[in-house]
Amino acid sequence: RRAVERALAAQAPALPGAPSRQPGPGGPYFAGLVGASRCRPGAACDMRRGVIADDATGTVEFHLVRPDPRFLYALALPFAFPVPDDAPAVPGDEPSTVLPATGAYAIRGYRPAGANGTGSVQLVRNPHFRVWSTLARPDGFPDRLEVELGGKAGDELAAVENGRADVASDPVLALSQPFRQIAERIPSQVHTPAAGQMLAVFMNTRVPPFDDVRVRRALSFALDRRRMAGGQVGSLTCQILPPGIAGFRPYCPYTPGGGPAYAGRDLAAAKALVRASGTAGTPVTVWLTNAGPQGFLHYAAGVLEELGYRVHTKFLPAPRYFPAIADPKSTIQLGGYGWLQDYPAPSDFLSLIFRCGSPVDPSRFCDPGLDRLMDRAVRLDRTDPTAANLLWARIDRRVTDAAPWAPYINDSAADVVSARVGNYAYNPQWGVLLEQLWVR
């Protein structure tokens, strides 16, 4: 219960001058619990009516306002991981201490990575852990795991190739020249599984010129997704749902003639839409940040100029960029964004993001008719999954046609293991399962 209360009480960091009590990322997952509507960001939260924990019997009851097929997924997220009773009511108030572990390993030590240095985590066997289900929570193989944080891609890869480390795991690795070289030399030690992630350019649908769907579609037609992807590992895309998620049906209207897959940009179609909209010459600001590669946004700025807009760029560091684009009153026109699945369901990509008033959609997209379709799909998830998946595919097309985002790639993971590692296993939500690796 304390974990759920903390999630509902958490608040997002605010941009100076903006409202300070914006909900944190965990709150929406538990909004359907009895009592959640009375909780406010930054304040203590009492969920004893919605989450009834009985320490004597070791049981927890959850009381929902209405049925929610997504709720079990929410309970598997870190926001619901158990915390002690004496943990502060509001996350962020606690000192820099390590919380207890409930899995096969316990944290022995933690040193955060500084601005210019590396950090580390040491994990050892948890003496209190017992395997209660080999499917749900198996035991681990190593007796000790040592994780280094904040290293440089080239150094990490060299350490693995030379046997000084066993795993290098970071999506950014795939963008590096050393990764491409090592993939050519020892391909058997390189793993690039699908990561359940989509990267995109968002367009603010409340701000000119992107309040006109023709302009949003024009940019979607004009972008060369191959150039945007650069050296990233993954599959090109035009749609919201990634492969592997229920309801996914290949769909790309923003390519010559349309079709299931991206086959190149259509600049003629893009320019025709801009002419029809009468918006050429409108000023557009492309916002950059220091979270991940920004080359695709510089390229998007050039494409907007090609379409006749007056373009310039601005920069915000990541700690200010993400609160800024999350502000419901944001006037930021265009920037980079994406979504990594919280859980493997279409509602996580569609219902969570693209509802009217969504706190996680910087495009501020709103279609009440689409909201009603998503409500119906969520209800069908409980009773008729086949019909629900067909409806989610239809919703995916509707959002893609409205073009609040211009997706360009479904990113893949990039893991490199040493020669002595076996039993590589990957989870699209958690990444490489370190405790399932064995070493010779």
Side-chain angles (χ1 to χ4, degrees), residues 21-89:
R21 293 183 181 270
Q22 298 298 308
Y29 298 108
F30 305 112
L33 282 165
V34 171
S37 62
R38 295 192 297 274
C39 294
R40 296 291 181 268
C45 176
D46 186 346
M47 289 296 295
R48 281 176 290 186
R49 289 181 59 227
V51 185
I52 300 174
D54 188 328
D55 290 334
T57 61
T59 61
V60 185
E61 292 181 15
F62 297 95
H63 293 254
L64 296 166
V65 175
R66 64 185 63 84
D68 182 359
R70 300 164 296 176
F71 185 68
L72 291 179
Y73 287 122
L75 291 181
L77 297 178
F79 306 114
F81 289 1
V83 296
D85 281 343
D86 58 358

Side-chain angles (χ1 to χ4, degrees), residues 22-341:
Q22 298 298 308
Y29 298 108
F30 305 112
L33 282 165
V34 171
S37 62
R38 295 192 297 274
C39 294
R40 296 291 181 268
C45 176
D46 186 346
M47 289 296 295
R48 281 176 290 186
R49 289 181 59 227
V51 185
I52 300 174
D54 188 328
D55 290 334
T57 61
T59 61
V60 185
E61 292 181 15
F62 297 95
H63 293 254
L64 296 166
V65 175
R66 64 185 63 84
D68 182 359
R70 300 164 296 176
F71 185 68
L72 291 179
Y73 287 122
L75 291 181
L77 297 178
F79 306 114
F81 289 1
V83 296
D85 281 343
D86 58 358
V90 180
D93 291 346
E94 65 267 16
S96 180
T97 56
V98 173
L99 293 175
T102 58
Y105 295 89
I107 301 173
R108 172 172 285 177
Y110 169 59
R111 180 171 52 86
N116 299 309
T118 59
S120 63
V121 181
Q122 293 84 41
L123 297 148
V124 296
R125 291 278 182 183
N126 180 359
H128 303 289
F129 175 74
R130 298 292 181 272
V131 176
W132 60 273
S133 168
T134 55
L135 291 176
R137 196 64 182 90
D139 203 353
F141 283 107
D143 287 328
R144 186 179 73 255
L145 295 100
E146 298 179 357
V147 183
E148 293 185 6
L149 309 172
K152 295 181 180 178
D155 295 340
E156 293 173 0
L157 294 170
V160 171
E161 188 172 12
N162 296 330
R164 300 193 308 274
D166 290 301
V167 185
S169 182
D170 186 342
V172 178
L173 288 176
L175 298 174
S176 68
Q177 184 64 26
F179 176 85
R180 289 189 282 272
Q181 292 172 344
I182 205 169
E184 292 177 0
R185 288 197 303 272
I186 46 173
S188 62
Q189 294 172 224
V190 175
H191 301 272
T192 56
Q197 176 168 295
M198 176 265 294
L199 302 180
V201 169
F202 77 83
M203 294 161 272
N204 192 329
T205 61
R206 307 288 180 86
V207 177
F210 301 114
D211 56 349
D212 189 324
V213 68
R214 293 171 294 187
V215 178
R216 302 196 299 268
R217 289 173 177 165
L219 182 58
S220 294
F221 270 117
L223 292 171
D224 185 334
R225 286 161 170 80
R226 290 191 181 88
R227 286 191 59 180
M228 294 175 76
Q232 290 171 277
V233 177
S235 57
L236 302 179
T237 187
C238 304
Q239 65 192 100
I240 305 300
L241 288 181
I245 297 293
F248 171 78
R249 303 290 187 277
Y251 180 58
C252 183
Y254 304 115
T255 198
Y262 179 72
R265 71 174 185 158
D266 191 336
L267 189 58
K271 290 184 174 180
L273 285 166
V274 172
R275 285 194 301 271
S277 72
T279 58
T282 303
V284 174
T285 300
V286 176
W287 290 79
L288 310 171
T289 187
N290 55 343
Q294 300 294 292
F296 72 98
L297 285 171
H298 288 288
Y299 167 72
V303 170
L304 285 163
E305 289 181 338
E306 195 175 8
L307 294 176
Y309 296 99
R310 293 187 289 120
V311 182
H312 63 286
T313 60
K314 284 189 176 181
F315 174 84
L316 270 180
R320 296 183 62 205
Y321 175 83
F322 290 104
I325 64 175
D327 186 343
K329 298 179 181 178
S330 171
T331 57
I332 290 178
Q333 291 169 292
L334 183 147
Y337 203 56
W339 197 255
L340 174 63
Q341 67 175 37

